[in-house]
Amino acid sequence: MSTTLSSPPLPPRALVLCLCLLVGGGALWYVLSGPAPATHEATRAVVIRPQTRAFDIARTLKEAHVIRSRFAFLAVAVARGTQRRLLAGEYEFAPGLTLLEVVRRLEQGKGLVHQVTIPEGFAARQIAEMLQARGLIDQERFMGLVRDRRLLAQYRVDGTSLEGYLFPDTYRLVKGLSEEAMIGRMVQRFTEIFGPAERARASALKMSVAEVVTIASLIEREAMVDEERPLISSVFHNRLRLGMPLQSDPTVLYSLSRFSGKLTKANLQAPSPYNTYLHRGLPPGPIASPGRASIIAALYPASSRYLYFVSKNDGTHAFSNTLREHDAMVRRYQIRRVG
């Protein structure tokens, strides 16, 4: 006769525990692998600010209907040990992403990147306006930091602002990056361009970095073709050596808030330290962000005796040694054209 062995029945408590584990595990699998709620029918854009806590990130994602459960999001982040390493940025979440995919995207910082080109010759105010229009910064805070003494000391800038040191280039920026961090990137790019060789050349000219950048900013605002930058630089250097006023229109424009149109005689008499018609020597500081070509031109002016230049209205200039020659060029290219 054979006997059949059978397992003893589970105690009631053990049975309940097994059922709870099965249900809980199934629920966790559904939360991890299932898509977001049905209300999430379109791609959602979410901005995570720097130093945002995981709890607040979870709340933001829940309110945007990207995730079902804040608790589940936190549980996954804690289990993966990344709750303190979720990266700031602007993210787009398509419908149907699993919770695990959402967490991984934040871990890897796979947010939207904005490619922004700062044009040569832009003043700090224009840069701030551009970045605010793209939704990347607060313009008022940005401009406050441009004049922040702590940052000036940090970057060893001799002056009252970082005007001229926000290097014009193409940057890959993300929403959520602080204004201070963006400024840092631009100033760091400037230090890469204005390196040891450029500093040594400035010393050979017996000029400070600030003086070179100031001349370069004038060149940037005056020149329209690269070939003329060294010639325009020579005019400024020659005038400085002779103690002549620079008489540069862009310096007057810089002191006039949001000016548009042609300068008048009254404008040229405007009482501003930046008015190089009234004051000899360089203005108090740069008036714009010069590019590398203008910086090199400021450091290596052409060898010339030119003291004057006037626009020929085609992007180029007529250069003169004497006031008489200059007056003739003005009559030829400006007065006659107006008449």
Side-chain angles (χ1 to χ4, degrees):
M1 185 174 69
S2 62
T3 58
T4 303
L5 298 177
S6 59
S7 301
L10 290 173
R13 289 184 179 178
L15 183 59
V16 170
L17 178 61
C18 287
L19 288 173
C20 288
L21 289 174
L22 286 173
V23 172
L28 180 60
W29 176 87
Y30 180 72
V31 168
L32 291 177
S33 61
T39 54
H40 181 30
E41 298 173 353
T43 298
R44 300 298 175 96
V46 177
V47 176
I48 306 299
R49 299 291 175 186
Q51 299 180 343
T52 302
R53 299 178 305 168
F55 178 85
D56 295 318
I57 292 175
R59 181 177 59 190
T60 298
L61 295 175
K62 179 68 168 59
E63 291 174 352
H65 302 291
V66 174
I67 61 174
R68 284 191 177 85
S69 166
R70 288 179 294 176
F71 172 78
F73 176 89
L74 292 169
V76 173
V78 170
R80 293 173 62 82
T82 58
Q83 74 275 15
R84 297 182 184 276
R85 291 186 280 113
L86 301 177
L87 300 176
E90 180 185 13
Y91 295 87
E92 281 191 348
F93 297 100
L97 288 178
T98 66
L99 178 59
L100 195 54
E101 288 171 331
V102 171
V103 173
R104 283 175 175 169
R105 185 166 295 185
L106 291 165
E107 291 171 350
Q108 298 167 4
K110 290 186 175 180
L112 298 179
V113 176
H114 299 264
Q115 186 163 293
V116 179
T117 298
I118 306 299
E120 296 173 347
F122 260 34
R125 173 181 56 79
Q126 293 172 295
I127 295 173
E129 289 174 352
M130 171 187 283
L131 295 177
Q132 176 161 289
R134 299 286 294 267
L136 296 171
I137 64 159
D138 176 85
Q139 180 178 340
E140 185 176 344
R141 173 168 168 74
F142 184 94
M143 290 305 299
L145 289 168
V146 166
R147 296 183 289 266
D148 189 281
R149 291 183 179 181
R150 178 181 58 83
L151 288 187
L152 291 170
Q154 178 180 332
Y155 297 123
R156 299 180 181 179
V157 171
D158 181 18
T160 59
S161 83
L162 292 170
E163 184 78 86
Y165 299 88
L166 307 176
F167 193 76
D169 206 342
T170 297
Y171 297 91
R172 292 171 59 82
L173 305 173
V174 297
K175 283 186 179 180
L177 189 66
S178 69
E179 290 84 356
E180 187 168 341
M182 290 191 189
I183 288 172
R185 288 191 183 184
M186 296 176 197
V187 177
Q188 176 59 37
R189 184 70 181 121
F190 169 83
T191 60
E192 294 171 1
I193 297 299
F194 207 111
E198 288 72 26
R199 292 177 183 273
R201 174 60 179 172
S203 296
L205 293 173
K206 298 182 179 179
M207 298 180 70
S208 67
V209 172
E211 290 172 329
V212 172
V213 177
T214 299
I215 292 181
S217 72
L218 303 189
I219 296 169
E220 193 65 67
R221 294 304 300 267
E222 294 276 15
M224 296 189 68
V225 295
D226 286 342
E227 293 77 9
E228 288 190 350
R229 295 181 196 273
L231 288 172
I232 292 174
S233 177
S234 72
V235 171
F236 291 141
H237 278 276
N238 290 341
R239 281 179 166 251
L240 287 171
R241 186 177 66 255
L242 296 174
M244 295 176 63
L246 296 183
Q247 296 182 318
S248 174
D249 289 359
T251 64
V252 179
L253 289 168
Y254 183 76
S255 64
L256 299 175
S257 178
R258 302 183 182 280
F259 177 86
S260 61
K262 280 197 169 185
L263 288 173
T264 65
K265 288 184 179 180
N267 296 143
L268 299 182
Q269 295 301 314
S272 164
Y274 284 89
N275 188 334
T276 54
Y277 282 84
L278 297 180
H279 306 285
R280 298 176 187 272
L282 291 171
I287 63 171
S289 292
R292 186 175 187 278
S294 290
I295 291 174
I296 296 302
L299 290 168
Y300 297 92
S303 178
S304 84
R305 297 171 58 193
Y306 292 141
L307 295 174
Y308 305 90
F309 60 87
V310 63
S311 172
K312 294 165 66 175
N313 304 306
D314 63 358
T316 64
H317 296 83
F319 295 84
S320 305
N321 294 330
T322 68
L323 181 58
R324 177 178 293 181
E325 292 173 356
H326 177 65
D327 287 342
M329 293 298 102
V330 171
R331 288 192 297 271
R332 177 177 178 181
Y333 292 108
Q334 296 295 321
I335 297 177
R336 184 177 299 176
R337 179 174 180 267
V338 173

